[in-house]
Coordinates of all heavy atoms in Angstrom, one line a residue:
M1 N 0.8 -1.2 0.0 CA 0.0 0.0 0.0 C 0.9 1.2 0.0 O 1.9 1.3 0.6 CB -0.9 0.0 1.2 CG -1.9 1.0 1.3 SD -3.1 0.9 0.0 CE -3.6 2.6 -0.2
A2 N 0.4 2.3 -0.7 CA 1.2 3.5 -0.8 C 1.2 4.2 0.6 O 0.2 4.3 1.3 CB 0.5 4.4 -1.8
N3 N 2.4 4.8 0.9 CA 2.6 5.4 2.2 C 2.6 6.9 2.1 O 1.9 7.6 2.8 CB 3.9 5.0 2.8 CG 3.8 3.5 3.3 OD1 2.8 3.1 3.7 ND2 4.9 2.8 3.1
T4 N 3.3 7.5 1.1 CA 3.4 8.9 1.0 C 2.1 9.5 0.2 O 1.5 8.8 -0.5 CB 4.6 9.3 0.2 OG1 4.5 8.8 -1.1 CG2 5.9 8.8 0.9
S5 N 1.9 10.7 0.5 CA 0.7 11.4 -0.2 C 0.9 11.4 -1.7 O -0.1 11.2 -2.4 CB 0.5 12.8 0.4 OG 1.7 13.6 0.1
S6 N 2.1 11.6 -2.2 CA 2.3 11.6 -3.6 C 2.1 10.2 -4.2 O 1.5 10.1 -5.3 CB 3.7 12.1 -4.0 OG 4.7 11.3 -3.4
A7 N 2.4 9.2 -3.5 CA 2.2 7.8 -4.0 C 0.7 7.5 -4.0 O 0.2 6.8 -4.9 CB 3.0 6.8 -3.1
K8 N 0.0 8.0 -3.0 CA -1.4 7.8 -3.0 C -2.1 8.5 -4.1 O -3.0 8.0 -4.8 CB -2.0 8.3 -1.6 CG -1.6 7.4 -0.5 CD -2.1 8.0 0.9 CE -1.6 7.1 2.0 NZ -2.0 7.7 3.3
K9 N -1.7 9.7 -4.4 CA -2.2 10.5 -5.5 C -1.9 9.8 -6.8 O -2.8 9.7 -7.7 CB -1.7 11.9 -5.6 CG -2.2 12.7 -6.7 CD -1.7 14.1 -6.7 CE -2.2 14.9 -7.9 NZ -1.6 16.3 -7.9
A10 N -0.7 9.3 -7.0 CA -0.3 8.5 -8.2 C -1.2 7.3 -8.4 O -1.6 7.0 -9.5 CB 1.2 8.1 -8.1
T11 N -1.5 6.6 -7.3 CA -2.4 5.5 -7.4 C -3.8 5.9 -7.9 O -4.4 5.2 -8.7 CB -2.5 4.8 -6.0 OG1 -1.2 4.5 -5.5 CG2 -3.3 3.5 -6.1
R12 N -4.3 7.0 -7.4 CA -5.6 7.5 -7.9 C -5.6 7.8 -9.4 O -6.5 7.5 -10.1 CB -6.0 8.7 -7.1 CG -6.4 8.4 -5.6 CD -7.1 9.6 -5.0 NE -6.4 10.8 -5.1 CZ -5.6 11.3 -4.1 NH1 -5.3 10.6 -3.1 NH2 -5.0 12.5 -4.3
K13 N -4.5 8.5 -9.8 CA -4.4 8.9 -11.2 C -4.3 7.7 -12.1 O -4.9 7.6 -13.1 CB -3.1 9.8 -11.4 CG -3.3 11.2 -10.9 CD -2.0 11.9 -10.8 CE -1.3 12.1 -12.2 NZ -0.1 12.9 -12.2
I14 N -3.5 6.7 -11.7 CA -3.4 5.4 -12.5 C -4.7 4.8 -12.6 O -5.1 4.3 -13.7 CB -2.3 4.5 -11.8 CG1 -0.9 5.1 -12.0 CG2 -2.4 3.1 -12.4 CD1 0.1 4.4 -11.1
A15 N -5.5 4.7 -11.5 CA -6.8 4.1 -11.6 C -7.7 4.8 -12.5 O -8.5 4.2 -13.3 CB -7.4 4.0 -10.2
R16 N -7.7 6.1 -12.5 CA -8.5 6.9 -13.4 C -8.1 6.7 -14.9 O -9.0 6.5 -15.7 CB -8.4 8.4 -13.1 CG -9.6 9.1 -12.5 CD -9.6 10.6 -12.4 NE -8.3 11.2 -12.2 CZ -7.8 11.5 -11.0 NH1 -8.5 11.3 -9.9 NH2 -6.7 12.1 -10.9
R17 N -6.8 6.7 -15.1 CA -6.4 6.5 -16.5 C -6.7 5.1 -17.0 O -7.1 4.9 -18.1 CB -4.8 6.6 -16.6 CG -4.3 8.0 -16.5 CD -4.5 9.0 -17.5 NE -5.1 8.6 -18.8 CZ -6.0 9.3 -19.5 NH1 -6.4 10.5 -19.0 NH2 -6.4 8.9 -20.7
A18 N -6.6 4.1 -16.1 CA -6.9 2.7 -16.5 C -8.4 2.6 -16.8 O -8.8 1.9 -17.8 CB -6.6 1.8 -15.3
A19 N -9.3 3.3 -16.1 CA -10.7 3.3 -16.4 C -11.0 3.9 -17.7 O -11.8 3.4 -18.5 CB -11.5 4.0 -15.3
V20 N -10.3 5.0 -18.0 CA -10.5 5.7 -19.3 C -10.1 4.8 -20.5 O -10.7 4.6 -21.5 CB -9.8 7.1 -19.3 CG1 -9.8 7.6 -20.7 CG2 -10.5 8.0 -18.4
N21 N -8.9 4.2 -20.3 CA -8.3 3.4 -21.3 C -9.2 2.1 -21.6 O -9.3 1.7 -22.7 CB -6.9 2.9 -21.0 CG -5.9 4.1 -21.1 OD1 -6.2 5.1 -21.8 ND2 -4.8 4.0 -20.5
K22 N -9.7 1.6 -20.5 CA -10.5 0.4 -20.6 C -11.8 0.7 -21.4 O -12.2 0.0 -22.3 CB -10.9 -0.1 -19.2 CG -11.7 -1.4 -19.2 CD -12.0 -1.9 -17.8 CE -12.8 -3.1 -17.8 NZ -13.2 -3.6 -16.5
N23 N -12.4 1.9 -21.1 CA -13.6 2.3 -21.8 C -13.3 2.5 -23.3 O -14.1 2.1 -24.2 CB -14.1 3.6 -21.2 CG -15.4 4.1 -21.8 OD1 -16.2 3.3 -22.2 ND2 -15.6 5.4 -21.9
R24 N -12.1 3.2 -23.6 CA -11.8 3.4 -25.0 C -11.5 2.1 -25.7 O -11.9 2.0 -26.9 CB -10.5 4.3 -25.0 CG -10.4 5.1 -26.3 CD -9.3 6.2 -26.1 NE -9.9 7.4 -25.7 CZ -9.5 8.2 -24.8 NH1 -8.4 7.9 -24.1 NH2 -10.1 9.4 -24.5
R25 N -10.8 1.2 -25.1 CA -10.5 -0.1 -25.7 C -11.8 -0.9 -26.0 O -12.0 -1.5 -27.0 CB -9.6 -0.9 -24.8 CG -9.0 -2.1 -25.5 CD -8.0 -2.9 -24.6 NE -6.9 -2.0 -24.1 CZ -6.8 -1.7 -22.8 NH1 -7.6 -2.1 -21.9 NH2 -5.8 -0.9 -22.5
S26 N -12.8 -0.8 -25.1 CA -14.0 -1.4 -25.2 C -14.8 -0.8 -26.4 O -15.4 -1.6 -27.2 CB -14.9 -1.3 -23.9 OG -16.1 -1.8 -24.1
R27 N -14.8 0.5 -26.5 CA -15.5 1.1 -27.7 C -14.9 0.7 -29.0 O -15.6 0.4 -29.9 CB -15.3 2.7 -27.6 CG -16.2 3.3 -26.6 CD -15.9 4.8 -26.5 NE -16.0 5.5 -27.7 CZ -17.0 6.2 -28.2 NH1 -18.1 6.3 -27.4 NH2 -17.0 6.8 -29.3
V28 N -13.6 0.6 -29.1 CA -12.9 0.1 -30.3 C -13.3 -1.3 -30.6 O -13.7 -1.5 -31.8 CB -11.3 0.2 -30.1 CG1 -10.7 -0.6 -31.3 CG2 -10.9 1.6 -30.1
R29 N -13.3 -2.1 -29.7 CA -13.7 -3.5 -29.9 C -15.2 -3.6 -30.4 O -15.5 -4.4 -31.2 CB -13.5 -4.4 -28.6 CG -12.1 -4.6 -28.3 CD -11.9 -5.5 -27.1 NE -10.5 -5.7 -26.8 CZ -10.0 -5.8 -25.5 NH1 -10.9 -5.8 -24.5 NH2 -8.8 -6.0 -25.4
S30 N -16.0 -2.8 -29.8 CA -17.5 -2.8 -30.2 C -17.6 -2.4 -31.6 O -18.4 -3.1 -32.4 CB -18.3 -1.9 -29.3 OG -18.2 -2.3 -27.9
Y31 N -17.0 -1.3 -32.0 CA -17.1 -0.8 -33.4 C -16.5 -1.8 -34.4 O -17.1 -2.0 -35.5 CB -16.5 0.5 -33.5 CG -17.3 1.6 -32.9 CD1 -16.7 2.5 -31.9 CD2 -18.6 1.8 -33.2 CE1 -17.5 3.5 -31.4 CE2 -19.4 2.8 -32.6 CZ -18.8 3.6 -31.7 OH -19.6 4.6 -31.1
V32 N -15.4 -2.4 -34.0 CA -14.8 -3.4 -34.9 C -15.7 -4.6 -35.1 O -15.9 -5.2 -36.1 CB -13.4 -3.8 -34.4 CG1 -12.8 -5.0 -35.2 CG2 -12.4 -2.6 -34.6
R33 N -16.3 -5.0 -33.9 CA -17.2 -6.2 -34.0 C -18.4 -5.9 -34.9 O -18.9 -6.8 -35.6 CB -17.7 -6.5 -32.5 CG -18.4 -7.8 -32.5 CD -18.9 -8.2 -31.1 NE -19.9 -7.2 -30.6 CZ -19.7 -6.4 -29.6 NH1 -18.6 -6.4 -28.9 NH2 -20.6 -5.6 -29.2
K34 N -18.9 -4.6 -34.9 CA -20.0 -4.3 -35.7 C -19.7 -4.5 -37.2 O -20.5 -4.9 -38.0 CB -20.5 -2.9 -35.4 CG -21.3 -2.8 -34.1 CD -21.7 -1.4 -33.8 CE -22.4 -1.3 -32.5 NZ -22.6 0.1 -32.1
V35 N -18.4 -4.1 -37.5 CA -18.0 -4.3 -38.9 C -17.9 -5.7 -39.2 O -18.3 -6.2 -40.3 CB -16.6 -3.6 -39.1 CG1 -16.1 -3.8 -40.6 CG2 -16.7 -2.1 -38.8
E36 N -17.3 -6.5 -38.3 CA -17.2 -8.0 -38.5 C -18.5 -8.6 -38.7 O -18.7 -9.5 -39.6 CB -16.5 -8.6 -37.3 CG -15.1 -8.1 -37.0 CD -14.0 -8.8 -37.8 OE1 -14.4 -9.8 -38.6 OE2 -12.9 -8.4 -37.7
E37 N -19.5 -8.2 -37.9 CA -20.8 -8.8 -38.0 C -21.5 -8.5 -39.4 O -22.1 -9.3 -40.0 CB -21.7 -8.4 -36.9 CG -21.3 -9.0 -35.6 CD -22.1 -8.4 -34.4 OE1 -22.8 -7.4 -34.5 OE2 -21.9 -8.9 -33.3
A38 N -21.3 -7.2 -39.8 CA -21.9 -6.8 -41.1 C -21.2 -7.6 -42.3 O -21.8 -8.0 -43.2 CB -21.7 -5.3 -41.3
L39 N -19.9 -7.8 -42.1 CA -19.1 -8.6 -43.1 C -19.6 -10.0 -43.2 O -19.8 -10.6 -44.2 CB -17.6 -8.5 -42.9 CG -16.9 -7.2 -43.2 CD1 -15.5 -7.2 -42.6 CD2 -16.9 -7.0 -44.6
A40 N -19.8 -10.6 -42.0 CA -20.3 -12.0 -41.9 C -21.7 -12.1 -42.5 O -22.0 -13.2 -43.1 CB -20.3 -12.4 -40.4
A41 N -22.5 -11.1 -42.3 CA -23.9 -11.2 -42.8 C -23.9 -10.9 -44.3 O -24.9 -11.1 -45.0 CB -24.8 -10.1 -42.1
G42 N -22.8 -10.3 -44.9 CA -22.7 -10.0 -46.3 C -23.4 -8.7 -46.7 O -23.7 -8.5 -47.8
D43 N -23.6 -7.9 -45.7 CA -24.3 -6.6 -45.9 C -23.3 -5.5 -46.2 O -22.7 -5.0 -45.3 CB -25.2 -6.3 -44.6 CG -26.1 -5.1 -44.9 OD1 -26.0 -4.5 -45.9 OD2 -26.9 -4.8 -44.0
K44 N -23.2 -5.2 -47.5 CA -22.2 -4.2 -47.9 C -22.4 -2.8 -47.3 O -21.5 -2.2 -46.8 CB -22.1 -4.2 -49.4 CG -21.3 -3.0 -50.0 CD -20.0 -3.4 -50.4 CE -19.3 -2.4 -51.2 NZ -18.1 -1.9 -50.6
A45 N -23.7 -2.4 -47.4 CA -24.0 -1.0 -46.9 C -23.7 -0.9 -45.4 O -23.1 0.1 -45.0 CB -25.4 -0.7 -47.2
A46 N -24.1 -1.9 -44.6 CA -23.9 -1.8 -43.2 C -22.4 -1.9 -42.9 O -22.0 -1.2 -41.9 CB -24.7 -2.9 -42.5
A47 N -21.7 -2.7 -43.6 CA -20.3 -2.9 -43.4 C -19.5 -1.5 -43.7 O -18.7 -1.1 -42.9 CB -19.7 -4.0 -44.3
V48 N -19.9 -0.8 -44.7 CA -19.3 0.4 -45.1 C -19.6 1.5 -44.0 O -18.7 2.2 -43.5 CB -19.7 0.9 -46.5 CG1 -19.3 2.4 -46.7 CG2 -19.2 0.0 -47.6
E49 N -20.8 1.5 -43.6 CA -21.2 2.5 -42.5 C -20.5 2.2 -41.2 O -20.0 3.1 -40.6 CB -22.7 2.5 -42.3 CG -23.5 3.2 -43.3 CD -23.1 4.6 -43.5 OE1 -23.0 5.4 -42.4 OE2 -22.9 5.1 -44.6
A50 N -20.4 0.9 -40.8 CA -19.8 0.5 -39.6 C -18.3 0.8 -39.7 O -17.6 1.3 -38.7 CB -20.0 -0.9 -39.3
F51 N -17.7 0.6 -40.8 CA -16.3 0.9 -41.0 C -15.9 2.4 -40.9 O -14.9 2.7 -40.3 CB -15.8 0.3 -42.4 CG -14.3 0.6 -42.7 CD1 -13.4 -0.1 -41.9 CD2 -13.9 1.5 -43.6 CE1 -12.0 0.1 -42.2 CE2 -12.6 1.7 -43.9 CZ -11.6 1.1 -43.1
K52 N -16.9 3.2 -41.4 CA -16.6 4.7 -41.4 C -16.6 5.1 -39.9 O -16.0 6.1 -39.6 CB -17.8 5.4 -42.1 CG -17.6 5.4 -43.6 CD -18.7 6.2 -44.3 CE -18.5 6.2 -45.8 NZ -19.7 6.9 -46.4
I53 N -17.3 4.4 -39.0 CA -17.3 4.8 -37.6 C -16.1 4.2 -36.9 O -15.5 4.8 -36.0 CB -18.7 4.3 -37.0 CG1 -19.8 5.1 -37.6 CG2 -18.6 4.6 -35.5 CD1 -21.2 4.5 -37.3
A54 N -15.8 2.9 -37.3 CA -14.7 2.2 -36.6 C -13.3 2.8 -36.9 O -12.5 2.8 -36.0 CB -14.8 0.7 -37.0
E55 N -13.1 3.2 -38.1 CA -11.8 3.7 -38.5 C -11.3 4.9 -37.6 O -10.2 4.8 -37.0 CB -11.7 4.1 -39.9 CG -10.4 4.6 -40.4 CD -10.3 5.0 -41.8 OE1 -11.3 5.0 -42.5 OE2 -9.2 5.3 -42.3
P56 N -12.1 6.0 -37.5 CA -11.6 7.1 -36.6 C -11.5 6.7 -35.1 O -10.6 7.2 -34.4 CB -12.6 8.2 -36.8 CG -13.7 7.6 -37.6 CD -13.3 6.3 -38.1
E57 N -12.3 5.8 -34.7 CA -12.2 5.3 -33.3 C -10.9 4.6 -33.1 O -10.3 4.8 -32.0 CB -13.4 4.4 -33.0 CG -13.7 4.2 -31.5 CD -14.1 5.5 -30.8 OE1 -14.8 6.3 -31.4 OE2 -13.6 5.7 -29.7
L58 N -10.5 3.7 -34.0 CA -9.2 3.0 -33.9 C -8.1 4.0 -33.9 O -7.2 3.9 -33.1 CB -9.1 2.0 -35.1 CG -9.6 0.6 -34.9 CD1 -9.8 -0.1 -36.2 CD2 -8.6 -0.1 -34.0
M59 N -8.1 5.0 -34.8 CA -7.0 5.9 -34.9 C -6.9 6.8 -33.7 O -5.9 7.2 -33.2 CB -7.1 6.7 -36.2 CG -7.0 5.9 -37.5 SD -5.8 4.6 -37.4 CE -4.3 5.4 -37.6
R60 N -8.1 7.1 -33.1 CA -8.1 7.9 -31.9 C -7.5 7.1 -30.7 O -6.7 7.7 -29.9 CB -9.6 8.3 -31.5 CG -9.7 9.3 -30.5 CD -11.1 9.8 -30.3 NE -11.6 10.4 -31.5 CZ -12.7 10.0 -32.2 NH1 -13.4 8.9 -31.8 NH2 -13.1 10.6 -33.3
A61 N -7.8 5.9 -30.7 CA -7.2 5.0 -29.6 C -5.7 5.0 -29.8 O -5.0 4.9 -28.8 CB -7.8 3.6 -29.7
A62 N -5.2 5.0 -31.0 CA -3.8 5.0 -31.3 C -3.1 6.3 -30.8 O -2.1 6.2 -30.2 CB -3.5 4.7 -32.8
T63 N -3.8 7.4 -31.1 CA -3.2 8.7 -30.7 C -3.2 8.8 -29.2 O -2.3 9.5 -28.6 CB -3.9 9.9 -31.3 OG1 -5.3 9.8 -30.9 CG2 -3.8 9.9 -32.8
K64 N -4.2 8.2 -28.5 CA -4.3 8.3 -27.0 C -3.4 7.2 -26.4 O -3.3 7.2 -25.1 CB -5.7 8.0 -26.6 CG -6.7 9.1 -27.1 CD -6.4 10.4 -26.6 CE -7.4 11.4 -27.1 NZ -7.2 12.8 -26.6
G65 N -2.8 6.3 -27.1 CA -1.9 5.4 -26.6 C -2.5 4.1 -26.1 O -1.9 3.3 -25.3
V66 N -3.8 3.9 -26.4 CA -4.5 2.7 -25.9 C -4.0 1.5 -26.7 O -3.8 0.4 -26.2 CB -6.0 2.8 -26.1 CG1 -6.7 1.6 -25.7 CG2 -6.5 4.0 -25.2
V67 N -3.8 1.7 -28.0 CA -3.2 0.6 -28.9 C -2.1 1.3 -29.7 O -2.0 2.5 -29.8 CB -4.3 0.0 -29.9 CG1 -5.3 -0.8 -29.2 CG2 -4.9 1.1 -30.8
H68 N -1.2 0.5 -30.1 CA 0.0 1.0 -30.9 C -0.5 1.5 -32.2 O -1.5 1.0 -32.8 CB 1.0 -0.1 -31.0 CG 2.3 0.4 -31.5 ND1 2.7 0.5 -32.8 CD2 3.4 0.7 -30.8 CE1 3.9 1.0 -32.9 NE2 4.4 1.1 -31.7
K69 N 0.2 2.5 -32.7 CA -0.1 3.1 -34.0 C -0.2 2.1 -35.1 O -1.1 2.0 -36.0 CB 0.9 4.2 -34.3 CG 0.6 4.9 -35.6 CD 1.5 6.1 -35.8 CE 3.0 5.8 -35.9 NZ 3.5 5.8 -37.2
N70 N 0.8 1.2 -35.2 CA 0.9 0.2 -36.2 C -0.2 -0.9 -36.1 O -0.7 -1.3 -37.1 CB 2.3 -0.6 -36.2 CG 3.4 0.3 -36.6 OD1 3.2 1.5 -37.0 ND2 4.6 -0.1 -36.4
T71 N -0.6 -1.2 -34.9 CA -1.7 -2.1 -34.7 C -3.0 -1.5 -35.2 O -3.8 -2.2 -35.9 CB -1.9 -2.4 -33.2 OG1 -0.6 -2.9 -32.7 CG2 -3.0 -3.4 -32.9
A72 N -3.2 -0.3 -34.9 CA -4.5 0.4 -35.4 C -4.5 0.4 -36.9 O -5.5 0.1 -37.5 CB -4.6 1.8 -34.8
S73 N -3.3 0.8 -37.5 CA -3.2 0.9 -38.9 C -3.4 -0.5 -39.6 O -4.1 -0.6 -40.6 CB -1.8 1.4 -39.4 OG -1.7 2.8 -38.9
R74 N -2.9 -1.5 -39.0 CA -3.1 -2.9 -39.5 C -4.5 -3.3 -39.5 O -5.1 -3.8 -40.4 CB -2.2 -3.8 -38.7 CG -2.2 -5.3 -39.2 CD -1.4 -6.2 -38.4 NE -2.0 -6.4 -37.1 CZ -1.4 -6.1 -36.0 NH1 -0.2 -5.5 -36.0 NH2 -2.0 -6.3 -34.8
K75 N -5.2 -3.0 -38.4 CA -6.6 -3.4 -38.2 C -7.5 -2.6 -39.2 O -8.3 -3.2 -39.9 CB -7.1 -3.1 -36.8 CG -6.6 -4.1 -35.8 CD -7.1 -3.8 -34.4 CE -6.6 -4.7 -33.4 NZ -7.1 -6.1 -33.5
V76 N -7.2 -1.3 -39.4 CA -8.0 -0.5 -40.4 C -7.7 -1.1 -41.8 O -8.7 -1.2 -42.6 CB -7.5 1.0 -40.3 CG1 -8.1 1.7 -41.5 CG2 -8.1 1.6 -39.0
S77 N -6.5 -1.4 -42.1 CA -6.1 -1.8 -43.4 C -6.8 -3.2 -43.7 O -7.4 -3.3 -44.8 CB -4.6 -2.0 -43.5 OG -4.3 -2.6 -44.8
R78 N -6.8 -4.1 -42.8 CA -7.4 -5.4 -43.0 C -8.9 -5.3 -43.1 O -9.5 -6.0 -43.9 CB -7.0 -6.4 -41.9 CG -5.5 -6.8 -42.0 CD -5.1 -7.7 -41.0 NE -3.7 -8.0 -41.1 CZ -2.9 -8.7 -40.3 NH1 -3.5 -9.2 -39.2 NH2 -1.7 -9.0 -40.5
L79 N -9.5 -4.5 -42.3 CA -11.0 -4.3 -42.3 C -11.4 -3.7 -43.7 O -12.3 -4.1 -44.3 CB -11.5 -3.4 -41.2 CG -11.6 -4.1 -39.8 CD1 -12.0 -3.1 -38.8 CD2 -12.7 -5.2 -39.9
A80 N -10.6 -2.6 -44.1 CA -10.9 -2.0 -45.4 C -10.8 -3.0 -46.5 O -11.6 -2.9 -47.5 CB -9.9 -0.8 -45.6
Q81 N -9.8 -3.8 -46.5 CA -9.6 -4.8 -47.5 C -10.8 -5.8 -47.6 O -11.3 -6.1 -48.7 CB -8.3 -5.6 -47.2 CG -7.9 -6.5 -48.3 CD -6.6 -7.2 -48.0 OE1 -6.2 -7.3 -46.8 NE2 -5.9 -7.8 -49.0
R82 N -11.3 -6.2 -46.4 CA -12.4 -7.1 -46.4 C -13.7 -6.5 -46.8 O -14.5 -7.1 -47.5 CB -12.5 -7.7 -45.0 CG -11.4 -8.7 -44.6 CD -11.5 -9.2 -43.2 NE -12.7 -9.9 -43.0 CZ -13.2 -10.1 -41.8 NH1 -12.6 -9.8 -40.7 NH2 -14.4 -10.8 -41.6
V83 N -13.9 -5.2 -46.5 CA -15.1 -4.4 -46.9 C -15.0 -4.3 -48.5 O -16.0 -4.5 -49.1 CB -15.1 -3.1 -46.3 CG1 -16.2 -2.2 -46.9 CG2 -15.5 -3.2 -44.8
K84 N -13.8 -4.0 -49.0 CA -13.7 -3.9 -50.4 C -13.9 -5.2 -51.2 O -14.6 -5.1 -52.2 CB -12.2 -3.4 -50.7 CG -12.0 -3.0 -52.2 CD -10.6 -2.5 -52.3 CE -10.3 -2.3 -53.8 NZ -8.9 -1.9 -54.0
T85 N -13.5 -6.3 -50.7 CA -13.7 -7.6 -51.4 C -15.1 -8.0 -51.3 O -15.6 -8.8 -52.1 CB -12.8 -8.7 -50.8 OG1 -13.0 -8.8 -49.4 CG2 -11.3 -8.4 -51.0
L86 N -15.9 -7.5 -50.3 CA -17.3 -7.8 -50.2 C -18.1 -7.4 -51.4 O -19.0 -8.1 -51.8 CB -17.9 -7.2 -48.9 CG -19.3 -7.7 -48.5 CD1 -19.2 -9.1 -48.1 CD2 -19.7 -6.9 -47.3
S87 N -17.7 -6.3 -52.0 CA -18.4 -5.8 -53.2 C -18.1 -6.5 -54.4 O -18.8 -6.6 -55.3 CB -18.1 -4.3 -53.3 OG -16.7 -4.1 -53.6
A88 N -16.8 -7.1 -54.5 CA -16.4 -7.8 -55.7 C -17.0 -9.1 -55.9 O -17.7 -9.6 -55.0 CB -14.9 -7.9 -55.6

């Protein structure tokens, strides 16, 4: 357990940041899942709409440090590729 006041404050700050990051990561997963479900259903219009929402959410998570920049870019790229092949 933290003894000094600064260590106690640091613990509170870490807990707050962890809660924010958990919420942000959860949002990303939800939006990506919506794209995946639309792709699985074969619904092109829904997949495109879901992708338009998921992409900025992924990149925002990358800028906030929740996921690595390359991870976010890879996920966006792979989702975009799958959405594109759905129309072909």
Side-chain angles (χ1 to χ4, degrees):
M1 187 63 208
N3 292 323
T4 63
S5 60
S6 60
K8 289 176 183 175
K9 180 179 178 180
T11 304
R12 290 195 305 271
K13 284 171 62 176
I14 290 165
R16 245 191 330 265
R17 289 292 347 142
V20 169
N21 288 341
K22 184 178 179 183
N23 184 33
R24 202 168 269 136
R25 193 177 305 114
S26 176
R27 281 174 56 96
V28 167
R29 287 180 182 149
S30 296
Y31 287 125
V32 170
R33 190 180 65 247
K34 285 178 185 172
V35 178
E36 298 276 357
E37 288 170 355
L39 287 168
D43 189 354
K44 169 97 170 122
V48 169
E49 282 303 311
F51 179 69
K52 280 183 184 176
I53 298 169
E55 182 182 4
E57 197 65 39
L58 266 162
M59 297 320 285
R60 192 171 300 120
T63 58
K64 299 295 183 182
V66 176
V67 294
H68 194 273
K69 181 173 63 103
N70 292 353
T71 303
S73 293
R74 184 181 67 242
K75 285 181 183 291
V76 167
S77 175
R78 288 180 182 174
L79 282 175
Q81 188 179 19
R82 288 177 62 197
V83 168
K84 186 178 174 184
T85 57
L86 191 62
S87 62

